[in-house]
Amino acid sequence: MGFHRGGGSWTPGPIFDLAVELAGRPERPRLCLLATASGDSPAAIAGFYGAFGASGSLVSHVALFDMPSVADMRKHLLRQDVIWVDRGSLVNLIAVWRAHRVDELLRECWQAGVVLAGESAGSLCWHVAGTTDSFGPRVAPALGLGFVPYANAVHYEQRRKSFHAFVADGSLPAVGYATDVGTGLVYRGSDLVEAVAGRAKAGAYRVERTADGVRETPLPVRLLGR
């Protein structure tokens, strides 16, 4: 739920206004991109700078391919107000982060009050586990960092059946949250505070394991920008 991407340009969505609000509305917010999930795609990084170049934010990124782009990742990440994790492969993202101990640094940032956010893999990664196509076209469960103790599903319109099946059979945690495209989840610590959306009719759902399968409960969704 971050950018509208079309015609070769990216436009920040209202989720970024919310992220800055959650960070305490600094005068010049420090906003850092992690595009690890796409292998630090140059197009993703350039698009990010293009989207925020005139925003007044202090924009940066940390790339890990072929080597870390900053000398002191800990210092750099802890200075940020918002860290945004871009879409791509959840499985590759987690593997590369762990190899560089970025997972540990992000937990430290989270505990220090840095706002952690993202879309697709950038949502899944904060949860215990979620549904992903990182292994191929067939959706499968995969582990995240476990900062929040729930399962997660993004692109829920396409992954609802799989998410239900994995929650029901124990492949995913007994409680999970799912979002349609355009919807985000806001946590304080490990508590879900609200679901928000950048477009009308985008939904969010709580899915729980029951004795005979799963129960899905639609959540209230606040439309941003209104």
Side-chain angles (χ1 to χ4, degrees):
M1 146 183 203
F3 294 100
H4 169 70
R5 310 186 189 202
S9 63
W10 295 13
T11 303
I15 190 66
F16 287 98
D17 295 330
L18 176 59
V20 170
E21 178 184 330
L22 293 172
R25 296 186 183 277
E27 184 176 349
R28 295 199 68 191
R30 295 181 178 272
L31 178 60
C32 182
L33 172 69
L34 299 182
T36 321
S38 66
D40 292 324
S41 161
I45 294 169
F48 193 77
Y49 281 97
F52 288 96
S55 70
S57 299
L58 297 171
V59 185
S60 66
H61 76 281
V62 172
L64 299 175
F65 295 88
D66 293 332
M67 64 180 66
S69 60
V70 295
D72 189 334
M73 277 195 289
R74 180 178 182 274
K75 180 179 179 180
H76 185 82
L77 292 174
L78 280 169
R79 292 181 66 199
Q80 303 307 310
D81 297 302
V82 178
I83 295 173
W84 182 265
V85 178
D86 203 24
R87 62 178 69 176
S89 169
L90 171 66
V91 172
N92 294 348
L93 170 75
I94 297 296
V96 173
W97 278 358
R98 285 183 171 150
H100 288 270
R101 302 181 70 179
V102 175
D103 56 331
E104 299 174 17
L105 298 180
L106 288 173
R107 182 174 287 276
E108 188 175 357
C109 291
W110 176 54
Q111 293 169 340
V114 178
V115 175
L116 305 180
E119 65 176 311
S120 194
S123 170
L124 296 166
C125 65
W126 314 118
H127 297 77
V128 171
T131 49
T132 181
D133 59 3
S134 296
F135 298 110
R138 181 173 293 183
V139 173
L143 294 176
L145 297 178
F147 291 7
V148 290
Y150 308 111
N152 184 223
V154 296
H155 314 302
Y156 194 51
E157 301 95 325
Q158 293 80 38
R159 298 184 182 177
R160 180 176 182 271
K161 183 177 179 180
S162 297
F163 192 57
H164 281 207
F166 294 140
V167 171
D169 70 13
S171 299
L172 291 177
V175 177
Y177 293 99
T179 52
D180 295 334
V181 173
T183 310
L185 303 168
V186 180
Y187 293 96
R188 290 190 184 275
S190 59
D191 297 324
L192 181 67
V193 174
E194 64 173 342
V196 296
R199 63 181 179 87
K201 299 182 180 179
Y205 314 86
R206 178 182 170 98
V207 177
E208 303 170 80
R209 190 180 308 143
T210 65
D212 57 354
V214 297
R215 176 173 58 248
E216 178 185 289
T217 306
L219 300 176
V221 177
R222 179 167 67 94
L223 187 61
L224 298 174
R226 295 207 175 173

